Amino acid sequence: MPVASTPTITLAELRDRLHATPSLSSANRSEMTSAIKRFCEICDRTPGEVLADPAVIRTLAAKASWQLAGLSSKGWANLKSRLTAALKAGGIPVHRRSRRNFVLSDSWKAELDGLKKRDRDELLRFAGWCSSRQISPEAADQKVFNDFLRFFREEVILTNPKDRWHVHRRAWNRTFAKRPGYPFIPDTEPPLWRGLRWSDFSDTLVKEVEDYTYAVTEGRKKKLGEKPLKKVTVDGYVTTLRTHLTRLVDDGVPIGQFQTLADCIDPKLAERGLMIINGPDEDGIREAARPSMSRLCVALISVARYCQAPDHQLAELKTLFKTVARRSSGMTEKNRNRLAQFRKPGALERFMDLPVDVAARISANGKVTHKTALVMQNAALLALLQALPLRIKNAAKLNLGTHIKRPTAGKPGPWLIHIPRGEVKNDLPIEAELSAESVAVIERYLAVFRPILAKNGGGALFPGNNDGHKAPGVLSKQLARFIKRELGLEFHAHLIRHWAAFAYLEENPGDYETVRQVLGHKSINVTLAHYASASTKASFKQYDAMLAGLRKGAKGKAKP
């Protein structure tokens, strides 16, 4: 939640202020106070908890599940418009005019009239804002654009203020900046820290990194007793190593000091890199820094083993790892908060019914387009993950010919899913049966919509441009946007596994073995570490029910 742009009041105080404003008609006052109440209900806040500040309200609005409140997109837009009107009527600085309602000065009007329609539309809000402040086109410079960005962030409820500012900046640079006397406007935000490239280091080191990557992946496949690392794992180690070396170089270590991999695993430099990650002014280890610090130690230990580092050096690196590592004690707080969304009234029901509801809506529309095919792909993916909470990588790679066995001759019946152990993260094969009810939406997707997406043919259940299958990352982001758009819930593909475990344990407290098998965990300890709290909550519910029964029994007994 951002800090308020200016010292301001709460929405409860704003509501009181509106009641005390005689110039407002009773109808307008009622609309505005109703908007305040409704907005807070949707955001799970009370009016006394929400500051009447555009930046604060914009953040809450971006996370609000207005779909679960039964609003259409138009209804939500109208609600925010009435809330903006309430802010303005209460004396809160807020901008609520659309770009088309600006009154342009003569100088700005003359300049925009000569532009292409796209450039004119994208500069119109900036031109109107300048006109209202008597800023001529000739006076527009970096400071003016910075003030315009501040205006977007502090006085506009519209989402993505920086992105909208970029639209105006780029339009200016395409047009005015090409004229003599007008400045080019760069992005005022500092560039992202990207680190050095491997090509910046010595050829010897680059060659050893390549040899290390091959040796611990493909090379180990040719040796008995040595389990090869997955390519994606080693790529992560290599990226972590490059980032570590970049930090050290930024901190004053000469880049020429790193000529070989053995030069990169010095425990003293490793400790220095860990301190950089943690922050120089920190007395202890920041919890937020532990994951990055642990990743660095794991990568350095892997490289040290490959380099056959001396025992004392490897022991020092392991000691560093034990110092910074935080053993998993369950889900992250962020994922817990995301699961808590399903406790909202109607959220779970809407989530479970979403695939069927979307399929029915598209069928009623009657149009089969590429856009509707993508929507149905998301509905089919969600239906699959609800019935079988797979990791998104396995879901993305499902093939109709090799992983899925359907009833012959189009007969109704269950689907059999088989994913061999070599394709699963923990080397445990997945064997599952999906009921006909679970795959109804998927069958509709296969029959009508998948042919539109499968341009290159093949048997991919979720076709894309990557070797016939849609990339897992793309599929995951696509699903997250789909659920956010339809239900307003913050979601990601892996959350379905947590949701499945919590939903089952709330109904069957203590049955961790079923959860272990459904999620494919090798050890029951992994299941317990992540989901013991879910069973604990359900157990307390049962305990409370027992207490309630005892109280009723005590009331029914006659006093001696």
Side-chain angles (χ1 to χ4, degrees):
M1 182 72 65
V3 177
S5 308
T6 57
T8 189
I9 59 178
T10 66
L11 288 184
E13 293 169 309
L14 174 63
R15 180 186 56 202
D16 295 340
R17 183 179 292 184
L18 295 176
H19 282 301
T21 305
S23 60
L24 285 175
S25 68
S26 59
N28 284 341
R29 184 183 297 111
S30 177
E31 280 190 354
M32 293 177 185
T33 55
S34 176
I36 291 173
K37 178 184 178 182
R38 187 66 170 139
F39 178 82
C40 292
E41 288 175 348
I42 293 172
C43 296
D44 296 325
R45 301 285 196 282
T46 64
E49 294 176 308
V50 180
L51 292 176
D53 176 84
V56 173
I57 290 173
R58 181 173 62 240
T59 301
L60 286 173
K63 297 180 179 180
S65 301
W66 49 268
Q67 299 91 332
L68 295 178
L71 293 179
S72 64
S73 57
K74 186 176 181 180
W76 176 238
N78 288 339
L79 176 63
K80 290 192 293 181
S81 179
R82 290 195 296 272
L83 181 60
T84 306
L87 293 172
K88 195 170 183 67
I92 307 298
V94 61
H95 177 79
R96 65 185 300 262
R97 289 181 177 178
S98 74
R99 64 186 184 186
R100 295 177 179 83
N101 291 334
F102 274 121
V103 178
L104 299 180
S105 65
D106 291 340
S107 58
W108 276 106
K109 188 174 185 304
E111 293 289 355
L112 295 189
D113 284 345
L115 300 179
K116 296 178 181 178
K117 184 179 184 303
R118 175 196 171 191
D119 295 331
R120 183 171 65 251
D121 288 347
E122 292 184 356
L123 281 168
L124 192 55
R125 187 189 293 272
F126 175 69
W129 179 84
C130 289
S131 296
S132 67
R133 290 160 176 76
Q134 290 79 50
I135 300 173
S136 67
E138 295 79 11
D141 57 12
Q142 186 70 58
K143 181 181 181 304
V144 170
F145 267 88
N146 290 346
D147 290 343
F148 185 54
L149 175 58
R150 191 176 304 110
F151 155 77
F152 260 126
R153 284 175 166 164
E154 297 179 359
E155 297 187 29
V156 174
I157 290 182
L158 298 173
T159 56
N160 303 321
K162 183 65 184 293
D163 292 342
R164 293 172 183 266
W165 177 80
H166 276 310
V167 170
H168 298 277
R169 182 183 67 84
R170 293 179 185 125
W172 171 275
N173 289 336
R174 287 197 308 268
T175 54
F176 286 85
K178 293 184 177 180
R179 305 174 186 176
Y182 288 90
F184 178 87
I185 306 299
D187 185 359
T188 55
E189 299 289 334
L192 293 175
W193 186 85
R194 298 189 181 279
L196 297 170
R197 296 168 297 182
W198 279 120
S199 58
D200 297 321
F201 293 91
S202 71
D203 293 340
T204 305
L205 177 58
V206 173
K207 179 65 168 59
E208 289 195 8
V209 169
E210 293 173 351
D211 291 344
Y212 157 74
T213 301
Y214 176 81
V216 297
T217 54
E218 296 299 320
R220 286 187 178 179
K221 293 180 180 179
K222 302 176 181 179
K223 297 181 180 179
L224 292 176
E226 290 193 36
K227 182 180 178 180
L229 297 178
K230 294 185 177 181
K231 182 65 163 53
V232 66
T233 301
V234 179
D235 287 345
Y237 290 168
V238 170
T239 299
T240 299
L241 178 62
R242 179 174 59 83
T243 303
H244 169 57
L245 298 181
T246 300
R247 291 194 183 105
L248 292 176
V249 171
D250 288 347
D251 198 48
V253 178
I255 192 172
Q257 184 169 328
F258 305 112
Q259 295 295 318
T260 66
L261 276 178
D263 300 330
C264 303
I265 56 175
D266 181 354
K268 298 299 182 185
L269 291 178
E271 186 174 2
R272 184 170 172 179
L274 293 173
M275 291 178 64
I276 295 171
I277 295 173
N278 192 50
D281 300 325
E282 298 293 332
D283 294 331
I285 298 176
R286 293 186 298 116
E287 288 302 311
R290 286 186 184 274
S292 296
M293 299 168 82
S294 298
R295 282 195 295 271
L296 173 57
C297 290
V298 170
L300 292 177
I301 289 171
S302 175
V303 173
R305 285 171 174 159
Y306 166 76
C307 294
Q308 297 182 340
D311 291 343
H312 70 88
Q313 193 176 46
L314 191 58
E316 288 183 64
L317 292 175
K318 290 181 178 180
T319 299
L320 288 175
F321 174 68
K322 290 179 181 178
T323 302
V324 303
R326 176 168 57 88
R327 298 300 178 187
S328 175
S329 58
M331 284 188 300
T332 64
E333 192 64 27
K334 184 179 290 186
N335 280 337
R336 290 184 183 278
N337 291 335
R338 285 169 173 161
L339 282 178
Q341 298 174 112
F342 291 99
R343 299 187 183 278
K344 295 179 180 179
L348 182 58
E349 293 80 2
R350 289 282 302 277
F351 176 74
M352 290 303 301
D353 293 341
L354 184 58
V356 174
D357 289 345
V358 168
R361 187 181 72 210
I362 292 177
S363 295
N365 180 275
K367 295 181 179 179
V368 180
T369 65
H370 188 272
K371 183 177 180 180
T372 57
L374 285 175
V375 174
M376 273 299 295
Q377 185 178 75
N378 288 319
L381 174 61
L382 180 57
L384 171 70
L385 294 179
Q386 287 176 345
L388 180 60
L390 295 169
R391 296 177 180 87
I392 190 61
K393 181 178 179 182
N394 291 123
K397 294 294 184 181
L398 283 176
N399 190 287
L400 294 169
T402 56
H403 300 116
I404 301 172
K405 184 177 180 181
R406 293 176 284 173
T408 58
K411 295 179 181 179
W415 283 18
L416 300 179
I417 307 291
H418 170 72
I419 304 176
R421 58 180 298 177
E423 298 179 23
V424 183
K425 177 183 177 180
N426 55 7
D427 289 328
L428 288 179
I430 295 175
E431 301 276 357
E433 181 178 292
L434 303 184
S435 68
E437 181 181 4
S438 297
V439 299
V441 173
I442 306 175
E443 289 178 331
R444 170 73 174 163
Y445 157 73
L446 287 176
V448 180
F449 298 94
R450 180 183 170 277
I452 298 175
L453 303 175
K455 298 178 181 178
N456 301 323
L461 179 59
F462 303 111
N465 297 324
N466 182 21
D467 70 6
H469 296 267
K470 184 160 286 187
V474 174
L475 201 60
S476 179
K477 291 178 181 177
Q478 182 178 298
L479 180 66
R481 289 194 297 267
F482 169 70
I483 294 177
K484 177 65 175 177
R485 182 176 65 250
E486 296 288 341
L487 302 179
L489 300 177
E490 298 292 335
F491 196 85
H492 57 76
H494 198 73
L495 194 69
I496 195 76
R497 293 171 61 79
H498 299 319
W499 169 82
F502 269 69
Y504 181 81
L505 287 171
E506 284 203 355
E507 295 296 324
N508 305 275
D511 188 5
Y512 298 106
E513 177 57 24
T514 297
V515 175
R516 184 192 72 79
Q517 293 188 34
V518 169
L519 298 184
H521 292 158
K522 270 189 174 180
S523 169
I524 194 68
N525 293 330
V526 175
T527 310
L528 289 170
H530 282 80
Y531 306 119
S533 62
S535 195
T536 301
K537 290 178 182 178
S539 297
F540 271 108
K541 283 184 180 179
Q542 292 185 349
Y543 180 70
D544 287 341
M546 182 272 294
L547 291 177
L550 291 176
R551 293 188 188 105
K552 290 178 181 178
K555 289 180 180 179
K557 292 181 180 180
K559 292 183 179 180

